[in-house]
Amino acid sequence: MSVNYATLGDLKKGSYIVIDGEPCRIVEMSRAKTGKHGSAKAHVVAICVFSGQKKSLVAPVDTRVQIPVIEKRLGQVLADMGDMVQIMDLETYDTFEVEKPGGDEEEEQLAAKLQPGVTVEYWLIMGKPKIIRIRSSSS
């Protein structure tokens, strides 16, 4: 599992964080200074990268948190297998299966364009691949 560590207070909206063992993108973040002897707290609302679930975290701003390491790579679609797509990495020539994007309208449009021969950008997040966008078509 490839993660780095950072201080919660250093993160911003749009950053990535690991909450409950899942990589999430921060969509909302607020800081609050508590009473006379309390330490400042951060309230983080994030969306899980793979499931789309909303997660929240409240902790002191000096807490060390995990940050997922995201590798951006290119691959070519080899086969459409219903809910899964077979992809070959264009650097290592490894083949693997990835779940088709789905959930919101934007991801449904992306899934519709996945045909054999199409070059895609995928992110390897904590050892798990996710298709992000189409780089070029096979036309």
Side-chain angles (χ1 to χ4, degrees):
M1 195 161 91
S2 49
V3 293
N4 286 334
Y5 291 90
T7 306
L8 185 58
D10 295 340
L11 300 179
K12 299 182 189 82
K13 183 177 173 182
S15 302
Y16 290 86
I17 185 173
V18 177
I19 299 177
D20 299 333
E22 296 195 41
C24 302
R25 190 169 154 275
I26 298 173
V27 292
E28 195 179 308
M29 184 160 184
S30 60
R31 292 175 181 82
K33 181 80 172 105
T34 55
K36 189 174 179 181
H37 299 289
S39 61
K41 301 259 192 260
H43 180 256
V44 177
V45 177
I47 304 289
C48 180
V49 173
F50 294 111
S51 68
Q53 289 180 322
K54 196 181 249 190
K55 298 194 178 266
S56 63
L57 172 74
V58 177
V61 292
D62 58 353
T63 304
R64 285 178 42 87
V65 292
Q66 292 182 328
I67 307 298
V69 174
I70 299 174
E71 289 182 53
K72 298 176 180 176
R73 300 173 155 234
L74 292 177
Q76 184 175 17
V77 177
L78 297 178
D80 184 347
M81 304 175 316
D83 291 345
M84 303 290 277
V85 177
Q86 190 176 30
I87 292 182
M88 176 181 68
D89 186 287
L90 292 177
E91 283 181 33
T92 63
Y93 303 108
D94 290 338
T95 59
F96 54 91
E97 293 177 9
V98 183
E99 200 171 304
K100 263 191 186 175
D104 62 6
E105 191 176 316
E106 193 175 302
E107 288 189 346
E108 295 292 338
Q109 290 175 350
L110 176 63
K113 296 177 185 171
L114 293 175
Q115 275 111 26
V118 172
T119 303
V120 295
E121 178 181 330
Y122 73 93
W123 290 2
L124 205 55
I125 307 168
M126 295 170 61
K128 192 173 174 187
K130 177 172 175 72
I131 297 172
I132 302 299
R133 67 178 65 95
I134 305 269
R135 285 306 273 275
S136 66
S137 301
S138 61
S139 38

